[in-house]
Amino acid sequence: MKQKFFSKEEFNEVGHGGIEQYGAMSYKPGFAINPLKFLLGIANAAKNAGVKIFQKSKVIKIEKSKGKFIIISNGSIIKANKVVMATNGFYKDDIFPKLNNMILPVISNIIITRPLTTEEIKSHNFITNNPVLNIRNLLFYYRLLKDNRFLFGARGDLVGSEKSSLEKSKNMELQMKKVFPNWNNVNIDFHWRGLIAITTKFSPSIGKIEDDEIYYSFGYQANGVNTAPWSGNELAKLIVSNSKNLNISKLYKGLPSKFPFPKLRLFYLKLVLAYYKYMDKN
Ligand SMILES: Cc1cc2nc3c(=O)[nH]c(=O)nc-3n(C[C@H](O)[C@H](O)[C@H](O)COP(=O)(O)OP(=O)(O)OC[C@H]3O[C@@H](n4cnc5c(N)ncnc54)[C@H](O)[C@@H]3O)c2cc1C
């Protein structure tokens, strides 16, 4: 990893300005991608290799009969010798009881502005198209897209309804405009959100459930765009080769411990967020 440090003035020349710019650190490798294009590329490669992909097939239950998995989805039943849990933050406890109480799903939220004019971009010296993270505990992540729209992301709301998502997006718009005040009159064209998976291990968990043909890969702690496909590749080697070992860091191998008193997961999250919010203000 190659790092480079920039003073406030230096970063103003190559990165951006704004109210909360105090200097920066960059590291390689690292660059932005369009995750949807990436996903469609992987799906196409899988299809070309003969994989059948079924969309809109939510798995409701998995049972076992005569050594085979009976996978019940809305509308169809599939029989399989092996199954992989790869639903990350969207995992709902009880589909695989041995994986229960290990994931804290957290909402991450994104807003996107209308395309900025050249003047508006210049007004904050926004030069880089690289993704930027600030160093708040509850950090903002942002980047200038190729069509000059500005993408701004932060932790999402705690409710998960359409209303709470809209409120959170409005709130994030205020936060964004506080950091980049010259964009006060810029409208937000899009907002969306999704779930990321936090675990007690704070690192991905990849492996196989002992004495069963259930494989898993989850817990990317909000950094799964590159890690999830890499994990999938490593897991595939384990599944296809029937080898007992994954040739990966010990940190990633095996399951995380369960959350203590798992029903309190949302409460724990609220406590941590309140603490971080307080720290970020001071
Ligand atoms: C707003 C936001 C911004 C993010 N930004 C970044 C970023 O900048 N960089 C980064 O590295 N990561 C980022 N992440 C995290 C990243 O998106 C995830 O880590 C990554 O998508 C995990 O990939 P995955 O394939 O394991 O799971 P997911 O992409 O979450 O996909 C899981 C899939 O499982 C499906 N599923 C769930 N339950 C069932 C079921 N019962 N039956 C059938 N299907 C089911 C879901 O519909 C979903 O399609 C962000 C996440 C969000 C929400």
Side-chain angles (χ1 to χ4, degrees), residues 7-23:
S7 67
K8 180 182 167 118
E9 291 72 28
E10 284 166 347
F11 196 62
N12 205 32
E13 296 294 315
V14 296
H16 66 76
I19 299 295
E20 294 190 359
Q21 200 275 84
Y22 304 103

Side-chain angles (χ1 to χ4, degrees), residues 20 106-108 133-141 153-156 168 175 196 198 202 221-223 269 271-282:
E20 294 190 359
V106 177
I107 300 176
S108 195
L133 307 172
N134 69 5
I135 56 163
R136 285 165 177 266
N137 289 295
L138 297 175
L139 56 81
F140 299 147
Y141 52 95
R155 176 195 65 78
K168 180 71 195 175
Q175 288 176 312
I196 57 120
I198 303 289
F202 292 112
Q221 330 284 327
N223 287 293
L269 178 64
L271 274 186
V272 171
L273 293 180
Y275 173 69
Y276 281 163
K277 201 171 167 187
Y278 172 78
M279 294 300 285
D280 285 339
K281 271 197 176 156
N282 291 287

